Coordinates of all heavy atoms in Angstrom, one line a residue:
M1 N -56.1 22.4 0.0 CA -55.2 23.2 0.7 C -55.9 23.7 2.0 O -57.0 24.2 2.0 CB -54.8 24.4 -0.1 CG -53.9 25.3 0.6 SD -53.4 26.6 -0.6 CE -52.3 27.5 0.5
N2 N -55.3 23.4 3.1 CA -55.9 23.8 4.4 C -55.4 25.2 4.8 O -54.2 25.5 4.9 CB -55.4 22.8 5.5 CG -56.1 23.0 6.8 OD1 -56.8 24.0 6.9 ND2 -55.9 22.1 7.7
T3 N -56.3 26.2 4.8 CA -55.9 27.6 5.1 C -55.9 27.9 6.6 O -55.6 29.0 7.0 CB -56.9 28.5 4.4 OG1 -58.2 28.2 4.9 CG2 -56.9 28.4 2.9
T4 N -56.1 26.9 7.4 CA -56.1 27.2 8.9 C -54.7 26.9 9.5 O -54.5 27.3 10.6 CB -57.1 26.3 9.6 OG1 -56.8 24.9 9.4 CG2 -58.6 26.6 9.2
E5 N -53.8 26.3 8.7 CA -52.5 26.1 9.3 C -51.7 27.4 9.3 O -51.7 28.1 8.3 CB -51.7 25.0 8.5 CG -52.3 23.7 8.6 CD -51.5 22.6 7.8 OE1 -50.3 22.8 7.7 OE2 -52.1 21.7 7.4
P6 N -51.0 27.7 10.3 CA -50.1 28.9 10.4 C -48.9 28.8 9.4 O -48.4 27.7 9.3 CB -49.7 29.1 11.8 CG -49.8 27.7 12.4 CD -50.9 27.0 11.6
V7 N -48.5 29.8 8.9 CA -47.4 29.9 8.0 C -46.2 30.1 8.9 O -46.2 31.0 9.8 CB -47.5 31.0 7.0 CG1 -46.2 31.1 6.1 CG2 -48.7 30.8 6.1
Q8 N -45.1 29.3 8.8 CA -43.9 29.5 9.6 C -43.1 30.6 9.0 O -42.8 30.6 7.9 CB -43.1 28.2 9.7 CG -43.8 27.1 10.4 CD -42.9 25.9 10.6 OE1 -41.8 25.9 10.1 NE2 -43.4 24.9 11.4
Q9 N -42.8 31.5 9.9 CA -41.9 32.7 9.5 C -40.6 32.5 10.2 O -40.5 32.0 11.3 CB -42.6 34.0 9.9 CG -43.9 34.2 9.3 CD -43.8 34.5 7.8 OE1 -42.8 35.1 7.4 NE2 -44.8 34.1 7.0
P10 N -39.5 33.1 9.6 CA -38.2 33.1 10.2 C -38.3 33.9 11.5 O -39.1 34.8 11.7 CB -37.3 33.8 9.2 CG -38.0 33.8 7.9 CD -39.5 33.6 8.2
I11 N -37.4 33.6 12.4 CA -37.4 34.3 13.7 C -36.9 35.7 13.5 O -35.9 35.9 12.8 CB -36.4 33.6 14.7 CG1 -36.9 32.2 15.0 CG2 -36.2 34.4 16.0 CD1 -35.9 31.4 15.8
A12 N -37.7 36.6 13.9 CA -37.4 38.0 13.7 C -36.3 38.5 14.7 O -36.3 37.9 15.8 CB -38.6 38.9 13.8
R13 N -35.6 39.5 14.4 CA -34.6 40.0 15.4 C -35.4 40.7 16.5 O -36.5 41.3 16.3 CB -33.7 41.1 14.7 CG -32.8 40.5 13.7 CD -31.9 41.6 13.2 NE -31.0 41.1 12.2 CZ -30.0 41.7 11.7 NH1 -29.7 42.9 12.0 NH2 -29.3 41.1 10.7
S14 N -34.9 40.5 17.7 CA -35.5 41.1 18.8 C -34.5 41.9 19.6 O -33.3 41.8 19.4 CB -36.1 40.0 19.7 OG -35.1 39.2 20.3
K15 N -35.0 42.6 20.6 CA -34.1 43.4 21.5 C -33.3 42.5 22.3 O -32.1 42.8 22.6 CB -34.9 44.4 22.4 CG -35.6 45.5 21.6 CD -36.4 46.4 22.5 CE -37.0 47.5 21.7 NZ -37.8 48.4 22.5
E16 N -33.8 41.3 22.7 CA -33.0 40.4 23.5 C -31.9 39.7 22.7 O -30.8 39.4 23.2 CB -33.9 39.3 24.1 CG -34.9 39.8 25.0 CD -36.2 40.3 24.3 OE1 -36.4 39.9 23.2 OE2 -36.9 41.2 24.9
H17 N -32.1 39.6 21.4 CA -31.1 38.9 20.5 C -30.9 39.7 19.2 O -31.3 39.4 18.2 CB -31.6 37.5 20.1 CG -31.9 36.6 21.3 ND1 -30.9 36.1 22.1 CD2 -33.1 36.2 21.9 CE1 -31.5 35.4 23.1 NE2 -32.8 35.5 22.9
P18 N -30.2 40.8 19.4 CA -30.0 41.7 18.2 C -29.2 41.1 17.1 O -29.2 41.6 16.0 CB -29.3 43.0 18.8 CG -28.6 42.5 20.0 CD -29.5 41.3 20.5
H19 N -28.3 40.1 17.4 CA -27.5 39.6 16.3 C -28.1 38.3 15.7 O -27.5 37.8 14.8 CB -26.1 39.2 16.9 CG -25.4 40.4 17.5 ND1 -25.0 41.5 16.7 CD2 -25.0 40.7 18.7 CE1 -24.4 42.4 17.5 NE2 -24.4 41.9 18.7
T20 N -29.2 37.9 16.1 CA -29.9 36.8 15.5 C -30.5 37.2 14.2 O -31.4 38.0 14.1 CB -31.0 36.2 16.4 OG1 -30.4 35.9 17.7 CG2 -31.6 35.0 15.9
N21 N -29.9 36.6 13.1 CA -30.4 37.0 11.8 C -30.7 35.8 10.9 O -30.7 36.0 9.7 CB -29.5 38.0 11.2 CG -28.1 37.5 11.0 OD1 -27.8 36.3 11.3 ND2 -27.2 38.3 10.6
N22 N -30.9 34.7 11.4 CA -31.3 33.6 10.5 C -32.4 32.8 11.2 O -32.7 32.9 12.4 CB -30.1 32.7 10.1 CG -29.4 32.0 11.3 OD1 -30.1 31.8 12.3 ND2 -28.2 31.8 11.2
H23 N -33.1 31.9 10.5 CA -34.2 31.2 11.0 C -33.9 30.1 11.9 O -34.7 29.5 12.6 CB -35.1 30.7 9.8 CG -34.4 29.6 9.0 ND1 -33.5 29.9 8.0 CD2 -34.5 28.3 9.0 CE1 -33.1 28.8 7.5 NE2 -33.7 27.8 8.1
H24 N -32.6 29.8 12.1 CA -32.2 28.7 13.1 C -31.9 29.3 14.4 O -31.6 28.6 15.4 CB -30.9 28.0 12.6 CG -31.2 27.3 11.3 ND1 -32.0 26.2 11.2 CD2 -30.6 27.5 10.1 CE1 -32.0 25.8 9.9 NE2 -31.2 26.6 9.2
G25 N -31.9 30.6 14.6 CA -31.7 31.3 15.8 C -30.2 31.4 16.1 O -29.8 31.7 17.3
E26 N -29.3 31.1 15.2 CA -27.9 31.1 15.4 C -27.4 32.6 15.4 O -27.9 33.4 14.7 CB -27.1 30.4 14.3 CG -27.5 28.9 14.3 CD -26.9 28.2 13.1 OE1 -26.3 28.9 12.3 OE2 -27.2 27.0 13.0
N27 N -26.4 32.8 16.2 CA -25.9 34.2 16.3 C -24.8 34.4 15.2 O -23.9 33.7 15.2 CB -25.3 34.5 17.7 CG -26.3 34.6 18.8 OD1 -27.4 35.0 18.5 ND2 -26.0 34.3 20.0
E28 N -25.1 35.4 14.4 CA -24.1 35.7 13.4 C -24.0 37.2 13.4 O -24.9 38.0 13.6 CB -24.6 35.3 12.0 CG -24.7 33.9 11.8 CD -25.3 33.5 10.4 OE1 -25.6 34.4 9.6 OE2 -25.5 32.3 10.1
P29 N -22.7 37.8 13.3 CA -22.6 39.2 13.3 C -23.4 39.9 12.2 O -23.5 39.3 11.1 CB -21.1 39.4 13.1 CG -20.5 38.1 13.4 CD -21.5 37.0 13.1
D30 N -23.9 41.0 12.5 CA -24.6 41.8 11.5 C -23.6 42.2 10.3 O -22.6 42.7 10.6 CB -25.2 43.1 12.2 CG -26.1 43.9 11.3 OD1 -26.5 43.3 10.3 OD2 -26.3 45.1 11.6
P31 N -24.0 42.0 9.1 CA -23.1 42.4 8.0 C -22.7 43.8 8.0 O -21.6 44.2 7.6 CB -23.9 42.0 6.7 CG -24.9 41.0 7.2 CD -25.2 41.3 8.6
Q32 N -23.6 44.7 8.4 CA -23.3 46.1 8.4 C -22.2 46.4 9.4 O -21.3 47.2 9.2 CB -24.6 46.9 8.7 CG -24.3 48.4 8.5 CD -25.6 49.2 8.7 OE1 -26.6 48.7 9.1 NE2 -25.5 50.5 8.4
R33 N -22.3 45.7 10.6 CA -21.2 45.9 11.6 C -19.9 45.5 11.0 O -18.9 46.1 11.3 CB -21.6 45.2 12.9 CG -22.6 45.8 13.7 CD -22.8 45.1 15.0 NE -23.9 45.7 15.7 CZ -24.2 45.4 16.9 NH1 -23.5 44.5 17.6 NH2 -25.1 46.0 17.6
K34 N -19.9 44.3 10.3 CA -18.6 43.9 9.8 C -18.1 44.9 8.8 O -16.9 45.1 8.7 CB -18.8 42.5 9.1 CG -19.0 41.3 10.0 CD -18.8 40.0 9.3 CE -20.2 39.4 9.0 NZ -20.1 38.1 8.4
S35 N -18.9 45.4 7.9 CA -18.5 46.4 6.9 C -17.9 47.6 7.6 O -16.9 48.2 7.1 CB -19.7 46.8 6.0 OG -20.1 45.7 5.3
W36 N -18.5 48.1 8.7 CA -18.0 49.3 9.4 C -16.6 49.0 10.0 O -15.7 49.8 9.9 CB -19.0 49.7 10.5 CG -20.1 50.6 10.0 CD1 -21.3 50.2 9.7 CD2 -20.0 52.0 9.7 NE1 -22.0 51.3 9.2 CE2 -21.3 52.4 9.2 CE3 -19.0 52.9 9.8 CZ2 -21.5 53.7 8.8 CZ3 -19.3 54.2 9.4 CH2 -20.5 54.6 8.9
L37 N -16.5 47.8 10.6 CA -15.2 47.4 11.2 C -14.1 47.3 10.1 O -13.0 47.8 10.3 CB -15.4 46.1 11.9 CG -14.2 45.6 12.7 CD1 -13.8 46.6 13.8 CD2 -14.5 44.3 13.4
I38 N -14.4 46.7 9.0 CA -13.4 46.5 8.0 C -13.1 47.9 7.4 O -11.9 48.2 7.2 CB -14.0 45.6 6.8 CG1 -14.0 44.2 7.4 CG2 -13.1 45.7 5.6 CD1 -14.8 43.2 6.4
G39 N -14.0 48.7 7.2 CA -13.8 50.1 6.7 C -12.9 50.9 7.6 O -12.0 51.6 7.2
L40 N -13.2 50.8 8.9 CA -12.4 51.5 9.9 C -11.0 51.0 9.9 O -10.0 51.8 9.9 CB -13.0 51.4 11.3 CG -12.3 52.1 12.4 CD1 -12.3 53.6 12.2 CD2 -12.9 51.7 13.7
G41 N -10.8 49.7 9.9 CA -9.5 49.1 9.9 C -8.7 49.4 8.7 O -7.5 49.8 8.8
V42 N -9.3 49.3 7.5 CA -8.6 49.6 6.3 C -8.2 51.1 6.3 O -7.1 51.5 5.9 CB -9.4 49.2 5.1 CG1 -8.9 49.8 3.8 CG2 -9.5 47.7 5.0
G43 N -9.1 52.0 6.7 CA -8.8 53.4 6.7 C -7.7 53.7 7.6 O -6.8 54.5 7.2
L44 N -7.6 53.2 8.8 CA -6.5 53.5 9.7 C -5.2 52.9 9.2 O -4.2 53.6 9.2 CB -6.8 52.9 11.1 CG -8.0 53.5 11.8 CD1 -8.2 52.8 13.1 CD2 -7.6 55.0 12.2
V45 N -5.2 51.7 8.7 CA -4.0 51.1 8.2 C -3.5 51.8 6.9 O -2.3 52.0 6.8 CB -4.2 49.6 7.9 CG1 -3.0 48.9 7.2 CG2 -4.4 48.8 9.3
F46 N -4.4 52.1 6.0 CA -3.9 52.7 4.7 C -3.3 54.0 5.0 O -2.3 54.3 4.3 CB -5.1 52.8 3.8 CG -4.7 53.1 2.4 CD1 -4.0 52.2 1.6 CD2 -4.9 54.3 1.8 CE1 -3.6 52.5 0.3 CE2 -4.5 54.6 0.6 CZ -3.9 53.7 -0.2
V47 N -3.8 54.8 5.9 CA -3.2 56.1 6.1 C -1.9 56.0 6.8 O -0.9 56.6 6.4 CB -4.2 57.0 7.1 CG1 -3.5 58.2 7.6 CG2 -5.5 57.3 6.3
A48 N -1.7 55.1 7.7 CA -0.4 54.8 8.4 C 0.6 54.3 7.4 O 1.8 54.8 7.4 CB -0.6 53.8 9.5
V49 N 0.2 53.4 6.5 CA 1.2 52.9 5.5 C 1.5 54.0 4.5 O 2.7 54.1 4.1 CB 0.5 51.7 4.8 CG1 1.3 51.3 3.5 CG2 0.4 50.5 5.7
S50 N 0.6 54.8 4.1 CA 0.9 55.9 3.2 C 1.9 56.9 3.8 O 2.8 57.3 3.1 CB -0.4 56.6 2.8 OG -1.3 55.8 2.1
I51 N 1.7 57.3 5.0 CA 2.6 58.2 5.7 C 4.0 57.6 5.8 O 5.0 58.3 5.5 CB 2.0 58.6 7.1 CG1 0.7 59.5 6.9 CG2 3.0 59.4 7.9 CD1 0.0 59.7 8.1
T52 N 4.0 56.4 6.2 CA 5.3 55.7 6.4 C 6.0 55.6 5.0 O 7.2 55.8 4.9 CB 5.1 54.3 7.0 OG1 4.4 54.5 8.2 CG2 6.4 53.6 7.2
A53 N 5.3 55.3 4.0 CA 5.9 55.1 2.7 C 6.5 56.3 2.1 O 7.6 56.3 1.4 CB 4.9 54.5 1.7
V54 N 5.9 57.5 2.3 CA 6.4 58.7 1.8 C 7.3 59.5 2.7 O 7.8 60.6 2.4 CB 5.3 59.6 1.1 CG1 4.7 58.8 0.0 CG2 4.3 60.0 2.2
A55 N 7.4 59.1 4.0 CA 8.2 59.8 5.0 C 9.7 59.8 4.5 O 10.2 58.7 4.2 CB 8.0 59.2 6.3
G56 N 10.3 60.9 4.6 CA 11.7 61.0 4.2 C 12.0 61.1 2.7 O 13.1 61.1 2.3
I57 N 11.0 61.1 1.9 CA 11.1 61.2 0.5 C 11.3 62.7 0.1 O 10.4 63.5 0.5 CB 10.0 60.5 -0.3 CG1 9.8 59.1 0.1 CG2 10.1 60.7 -1.8 CD1 10.9 58.2 -0.4
P58 N 12.3 63.0 -0.7 CA 12.4 64.4 -1.1 C 11.1 64.9 -1.9 O 10.5 64.1 -2.5 CB 13.6 64.5 -2.0 CG 14.4 63.2 -1.7 CD 13.4 62.2 -1.2
A59 N 10.8 66.1 -1.8 CA 9.6 66.6 -2.5 C 9.6 66.4 -4.0 O 8.5 66.1 -4.5 CB 9.4 68.1 -2.2
R60 N 10.7 66.4 -4.6 CA 10.8 66.2 -6.0 C 10.4 64.7 -6.4 O 10.1 64.4 -7.5 CB 12.1 66.6 -6.6 CG 13.3 65.8 -6.1 CD 14.6 66.3 -6.8 NE 15.7 65.4 -6.5 CZ 16.5 65.5 -5.4 NH1 16.3 66.6 -4.6 NH2 17.5 64.7 -5.3
H61 N 10.5 63.8 -5.4 CA 10.3 62.4 -5.7 C 8.9 61.9 -5.1 O 8.6 60.7 -5.1 CB 11.4 61.5 -5.2 CG 12.7 61.7 -5.9 ND1 12.9 61.5 -7.2 CD2 13.9 62.1 -5.4 CE1 14.1 61.8 -7.5 NE2 14.8 62.1 -6.4
A62 N 8.2 62.8 -4.5 CA 7.0 62.4 -3.7 C 5.9 61.8 -4.7 O 5.3 60.9 -4.3 CB 6.4 63.6 -3.0
G63 N 5.8 62.4 -5.9 CA 4.8 61.8 -6.9 C 5.2 60.4 -7.3 O 4.3 59.6 -7.4
M64 N 6.5 60.2 -7.5 CA 6.9 58.8 -7.9 C 6.7 57.9 -6.8 O 6.2 56.7 -7.0 CB 8.4 58.9 -8.3 CG 8.8 57.5 -8.9 SD 10.5 57.6 -9.6 CE 11.4 58.4 -8.5
A65 N 7.0 58.3 -5.5 CA 6.8 57.4 -4.4 C 5.3 57.1 -4.2 O 5.0 55.9 -3.9 CB 7.4 58.1 -3.1
S66 N 4.5 58.1 -4.4 CA 3.0 57.8 -4.3 C 2.6 56.9 -5.4 O 1.7 56.0 -5.1 CB 2.3 59.2 -4.4 OG 0.9 58.9 -4.3
G67 N 3.1 57.0 -6.6 CA 2.7 56.1 -7.7 C 3.1 54.7 -7.4 O 2.4 53.7 -7.6
F68 N 4.4 54.5 -6.8 CA 4.8 53.2 -6.4 C 3.9 52.6 -5.4 O 3.5 51.4 -5.4 CB 6.2 53.2 -6.0 CG 7.3 53.2 -7.1 CD1 8.3 54.1 -7.0 CD2 7.2 52.3 -8.1 CE1 9.2 54.2 -8.1 CE2 8.1 52.3 -9.2 CZ 9.1 53.3 -9.1
L69 N 3.5 53.4 -4.4 CA 2.6 53.0 -3.3 C 1.3 52.5 -3.9 O 0.8 51.4 -3.5 CB 2.4 54.1 -2.3 CG 1.4 53.8 -1.2 CD1 2.0 52.7 -0.3 CD2 1.1 55.1 -0.4
M70 N 0.7 53.3 -4.8 CA -0.6 52.9 -5.3 C -0.5 51.7 -6.2 O -1.4 50.8 -6.2 CB -1.2 54.1 -6.2 CG -1.6 55.3 -5.3 SD -3.0 54.9 -4.3 CE -2.2 54.8 -2.7
T71 N 0.6 51.6 -7.0 CA 0.8 50.4 -7.8 C 0.9 49.1 -6.9 O 0.3 48.1 -7.2 CB 2.1 50.6 -8.7 OG1 1.9 51.7 -9.5 CG2 2.3 49.3 -9.6
G72 N 1.7 49.2 -5.9 CA 1.8 48.1 -5.0 C 0.5 47.7 -4.3 O 0.1 46.6 -4.2
H73 N -0.3 48.7 -4.0 CA -1.6 48.5 -3.4 C -2.5 47.8 -4.4 O -3.2 46.8 -4.0 CB -2.2 49.8 -3.0 CG -3.6 49.7 -2.4 ND1 -4.7 49.9 -3.2 CD2 -4.1 49.4 -1.2 CE1 -5.8 49.7 -2.5 NE2 -5.4 49.4 -1.3
E74 N -2.6 48.2 -5.6 CA -3.4 47.6 -6.6 C -3.0 46.2 -6.9 O -3.8 45.3 -7.1 CB -3.5 48.4 -7.9 CG -4.2 49.8 -7.7 CD -5.6 49.7 -7.2 OE1 -6.3 48.8 -7.6 OE2 -6.0 50.5 -6.3
I75 N -1.7 46.0 -7.1 CA -1.2 44.6 -7.4 C -1.5 43.7 -6.2 O -1.9 42.5 -6.4 CB 0.3 44.6 -7.7 CG1 0.5 45.3 -9.0 CG2 0.9 43.2 -7.7 CD1 2.0 45.6 -9.3
G76 N -1.3 44.2 -5.0 CA -1.6 43.4 -3.8 C -3.1 43.0 -3.7 O -3.4 41.9 -3.4
A77 N -3.9 44.0 -4.0 CA -5.4 43.7 -4.0 C -5.8 42.7 -5.0 O -6.6 41.8 -4.7 CB -6.1 45.0 -4.2
A78 N -5.2 42.8 -6.2 CA -5.5 41.8 -7.3 C -5.1 40.4 -6.9 O -5.8 39.5 -7.1 CB -4.9 42.3 -8.6
L79 N -3.8 40.3 -6.4 CA -3.3 39.0 -6.0 C -4.1 38.5 -4.8 O -4.4 37.2 -4.8 CB -1.9 39.1 -5.6 CG -0.9 39.4 -6.7 CD1 0.5 39.6 -6.2 CD2 -0.9 38.2 -7.7
G80 N -4.5 39.3 -3.9 CA -5.3 38.8 -2.8 C -6.7 38.3 -3.2 O -7.1 37.2 -2.7
V81 N -7.3 39.0 -4.1 CA -8.6 38.5 -4.6 C -8.4 37.2 -5.4 O -9.2 36.2 -5.3 CB -9.3 39.5 -5.5 CG1 -10.5 39.0 -6.3 CG2 -9.7 40.7 -4.7
A82 N -7.3 37.1 -6.2 CA -7.1 35.9 -6.9 C -6.8 34.7 -6.0 O -7.3 33.6 -6.2 CB -5.9 36.1 -7.9
V83 N -6.0 34.9 -5.0 CA -5.8 33.8 -4.0 C -7.0 33.4 -3.3 O -7.3 32.2 -3.1 CB -4.6 34.2 -3.0 CG1 -4.6 33.3 -1.9 CG2 -3.3 34.4 -3.7
L84 N -7.8 34.3 -2.8 CA -9.1 34.0 -2.1 C -10.0 33.3 -3.0 O -10.7 32.3 -2.6 CB -9.7 35.3 -1.6 CG -9.0 35.9 -0.4 CD1 -9.7 37.2 0.0 CD2 -9.0 34.9 0.8
A85 N -10.1 33.7 -4.3 CA -11.0 33.0 -5.3 C -10.5 31.6 -5.5 O -11.3 30.6 -5.6 CB -11.0 33.8 -6.6
A86 N -9.2 31.4 -5.6 CA -8.6 30.0 -5.8 C -8.9 29.1 -4.6 O -9.3 28.0 -4.8 CB -7.1 30.1 -6.1
V87 N -8.7 29.7 -3.4 CA -9.0 28.9 -2.2 C -10.5 28.6 -2.1 O -10.8 27.5 -1.7 CB -8.5 29.7 -0.9 CG1 -9.0 29.0 0.3 CG2 -7.0 29.8 -1.0
A88 N -11.3 29.5 -2.4 CA -12.8 29.3 -2.3 C -13.3 28.3 -3.3 O -14.2 27.5 -3.0 CB -13.5 30.6 -2.5
T89 N -12.7 28.2 -4.4 CA -13.2 27.2 -5.4 C -12.3 25.9 -5.5 O -12.6 25.1 -6.3 CB -13.1 27.9 -6.8 OG1 -11.8 28.3 -7.2 CG2 -14.1 29.1 -6.9
A90 N -11.3 25.8 -4.6 CA -10.5 24.6 -4.7 C -11.2 23.4 -4.3 O -10.9 22.3 -4.8 CB -9.3 24.8 -3.7
G91 N -12.2 23.5 -3.4 CA -12.9 22.3 -2.9 C -14.1 21.8 -3.8 O -14.7 20.9 -3.5
R92 N -14.3 22.5 -4.9 CA -15.5 22.2 -5.7 C -15.1 21.2 -6.8 O -14.2 21.0 -7.4 CB -16.0 23.5 -6.4 CG -16.6 24.3 -5.3 CD -17.2 25.6 -5.9 NE -17.7 26.4 -4.8 CZ -18.6 27.3 -5.0 NH1 -19.2 27.5 -6.1 NH2 -19.0 28.0 -3.9

């Protein structure tokens, strides 16, 4: 074993290329930035949908309307994950 050869290291992030995060030097968005963007978008949309769904509902039916909203949200999330999983594994 020759100990004089340098070990190749992945390219580190630099100030000039803050989005470079792989050893090929390709630009990929930072996963933390994507998470913040998704969280912000989901938060804004979910609040707007919730307000719209219960607007005009009498106070005595507000609980039932909220329950329907949450049920629809959970069913939609489950179906969305199922469809994405099916699409992701379809080519294998």
